[in-house]
Amino acid sequence: MSWPQVAAWLGLAEQSMHWIAQVFIVVFVTLAANMLVLRLLGRLAIQLEKTRNLWDDTLLEAARRPLGFFIWLLGLSWAAEIAERQTDSILLGWVDSLREIGVIVLLTWFLLRFVKGAETILVSPDKMKQPMDRTTVAAISNLLRASIVITGALVILQSLGYSISGVLAFGGIGGIAVGFAAKDLLSNFFGGLMIYLDRPFAVGDWIRSPDKSIEGVVEHIGWRQTRIRTFDKRPLYVPNSTFTTIAVENPSRMSHRRLYETLGVRYDDAGKVRQIVTEVEAYLRQHSEIDQRQTLMVNFNACGPSSLDFFIYCFTHTTDWARFHQIKQEVLLHILDIIAQAGAEVAFPTRTLHLIQSEAEPALESETQPRLNQGTQA
């Protein structure tokens, strides 16, 4: 609707009224309409908060600010039309085009705000019973944002009189040159796309690579690089193309944690090894934190240089790192108690030195022997 039609409907088209007064009235009505609409939206938001539907709240919040700017856009454009008819300014001849561009920009802004609000709802455990994967939602929202912005830009070009087919053709030719110039940038982009599609890890996962010195918790997955927080709290920025050429281990998705330790007793306690192994296995079989459905082994497996070694091999239910070490500590301390109760001792590296006395030096025997004994006692 143009200003002459609105002015005739409001009774402001009389020739006796000065155009400056018309401009003032239009601006005042715009201000009043903006305040009234914002007040109504505020009351409507209070009513919508009482409902369980979250999408109406998101839709209203996304439209609140663009709607206020839209009212001001219409009011100021109508005021500019009044001034244009009276002053014949060349600059004011762009009022219609600027109004169309402004409407497209505001509509694009509204859609971007709605996508952002929807992304927040879909990943929030407080708002969704089964929240979606954060990485997947981020990928979809980024694609939607890019589509909205590109579509809005093409519509603006069309409203300015440019041919969209010509723009697309130029973009296809220029894309080849850009592709060669930005090869690394494109490889990072497609690397990020593969992360979004294959999902080897997500935000919040602990990852590490046996090929590179990469280990930490994923904080952000972008289109060009991924930010990882190392365990010494330093940020590590890894280009996405790196993940297409290296192996990535994701310990966050492990089903169990493995407890694998080797212990040894003295050779003097060889007769007690069977009893110790049997009691340790019985203890692990009844432990509530050990998963009995997984492999559980306790076996004597080696005669070491100074010990008779047996190993324990089992898996815990928990995958929490701190809880796992508490369980490991409890198990190892109890095994030490079993060894002590059996009358055995844990072995430690020892060495026996045999001294051979020469028969050709009998005179030194009485002098050397006390010194050797004294050194042995020391």
Side-chain angles (χ1 to χ4, degrees):
M1 180 180 294
S2 63
W3 167 247
Q5 296 174 340
V6 176
W9 181 68
L10 295 176
L12 301 176
E14 290 79 0
Q15 297 295 329
S16 59
M17 181 176 293
H18 196 273
W19 67 273
I20 297 180
Q22 293 182 5
V23 170
F24 176 78
I25 292 175
V26 170
V27 173
F28 178 77
V29 171
T30 302
L31 177 62
N34 183 51
M35 295 178 61
L36 178 62
V37 169
L38 293 181
R39 188 176 182 85
L40 292 176
L41 291 178
R43 292 186 176 181
L44 181 59
I46 295 175
Q47 297 297 325
L48 293 179
E49 288 179 354
K50 300 177 181 179
T51 63
R52 295 183 179 180
N53 191 353
L54 300 175
W55 297 105
D56 50 5
D57 300 338
T58 304
L59 184 64
L60 181 62
E61 181 62 27
R64 185 191 297 267
R65 296 184 63 186
L67 184 58
F69 280 95
F70 175 73
I71 295 173
W72 277 106
L73 176 65
L74 291 181
L76 294 178
S77 64
W78 288 339
E81 286 183 4
I82 298 174
E84 179 186 4
R85 290 199 307 271
Q86 299 296 329
T87 60
D88 295 329
S89 175
I90 299 176
L91 296 177
L92 296 177
W94 290 83
V95 172
D96 292 337
S97 298
L98 291 176
R99 181 166 52 200
E100 293 179 4
I101 294 174
V103 171
I104 297 172
V105 170
L106 291 176
L107 181 60
T108 303
W109 187 24
F110 160 71
L111 293 176
L112 292 176
R113 286 170 58 88
F114 180 74
V115 170
K116 182 179 180 180
E119 179 183 2
T120 304
I121 291 177
L122 292 175
V123 300
S124 176
D126 299 331
K127 299 179 180 180
M128 297 289 293
K129 294 182 178 179
Q130 295 181 349
M132 296 180 61
D133 179 66
R134 188 179 298 272
T135 305
T136 303
V137 174
I140 296 175
S141 63
N142 287 336
L143 290 175
L144 287 176
R145 291 190 187 98
S147 302
I148 292 170
V149 172
I150 293 174
T151 303
L154 293 177
V155 174
I156 290 176
L157 292 176
Q158 182 71 24
S159 64
L160 293 176
Y162 294 96
S163 175
I164 295 181
S165 59
V167 173
L168 294 177
F170 176 77
I173 298 174
I176 299 176
V178 173
F180 284 107
K183 181 180 65 175
D184 294 337
L185 183 62
L186 291 177
S187 63
N188 289 328
F189 171 80
F190 285 107
L193 184 61
M194 291 300 101
I195 293 175
Y196 284 125
L197 294 178
D198 296 339
R199 290 188 293 178
F201 53 82
V203 174
D205 284 355
W206 162 29
I207 65 171
R208 61 188 175 197
S209 173
D211 303 329
K212 298 283 186 178
S213 298
I214 298 175
E215 184 172 11
V217 179
V218 179
E219 284 191 339
H220 175 72
I221 302 174
W223 288 111
R224 192 180 68 85
Q225 61 186 7
T226 296
R227 185 176 71 246
I228 299 173
R229 184 69 60 176
T230 61
F231 291 126
D232 55 1
K233 300 305 179 182
R234 292 182 297 175
L236 177 64
Y237 299 92
V238 182
N240 290 332
S241 59
T242 304
F243 294 107
T244 62
T245 59
I246 64 174
V248 178
E249 181 183 349
N250 192 339
S252 297
R253 298 180 183 177
M254 64 173 64
S255 59
H256 301 77
R257 280 191 178 272
R258 185 182 66 172
L259 178 56
Y260 181 33
E261 294 291 334
T262 299
L263 298 94
V265 297
R266 302 176 306 171
Y267 273 88
D268 294 342
D269 302 320
K272 304 170 185 176
V273 172
R274 188 186 304 275
Q275 174 188 350
I276 293 173
V277 169
T278 301
E279 292 184 4
V280 170
E281 182 175 2
Y283 164 69
L284 294 177
R285 290 291 181 187
Q286 56 84 32
H287 201 293
S288 60
E289 296 291 344
I290 304 298
D291 193 347
Q292 306 300 325
R293 297 170 298 178
Q294 304 297 320
T295 304
L296 194 157
M297 301 173 63
V298 181
N299 293 104
F300 167 67
N301 68 327
C303 295
S306 57
S307 63
L308 300 174
D309 299 331
F310 68 95
F311 73 94
I312 58 173
Y313 187 95
C314 57
F315 294 87
T316 62
H317 288 291
T318 183
T319 60
D320 181 74
W321 190 70
R323 177 58 183 160
F324 167 77
H325 280 283
Q326 292 176 356
I327 298 171
K328 180 178 179 180
Q329 172 183 275
E330 177 189 344
V331 169
L332 292 179
L333 289 176
H334 193 87
I335 292 176
L336 293 179
D337 292 339
I338 292 176
I339 294 174
Q341 291 172 5
E345 295 183 13
V346 176
F348 53 88
T350 58
R351 177 176 296 178
T352 302
L353 179 62
H354 296 277
L355 298 178
I356 301 177
Q357 180 179 351
S358 175
E359 297 179 356
E361 299 178 354
L364 298 177
E365 180 178 357
S366 59
E367 180 181 357
T368 305
Q369 189 66 30
R371 291 182 180 179
L372 290 177
N373 293 336
Q374 182 178 3
T376 304
Q377 294 176 0

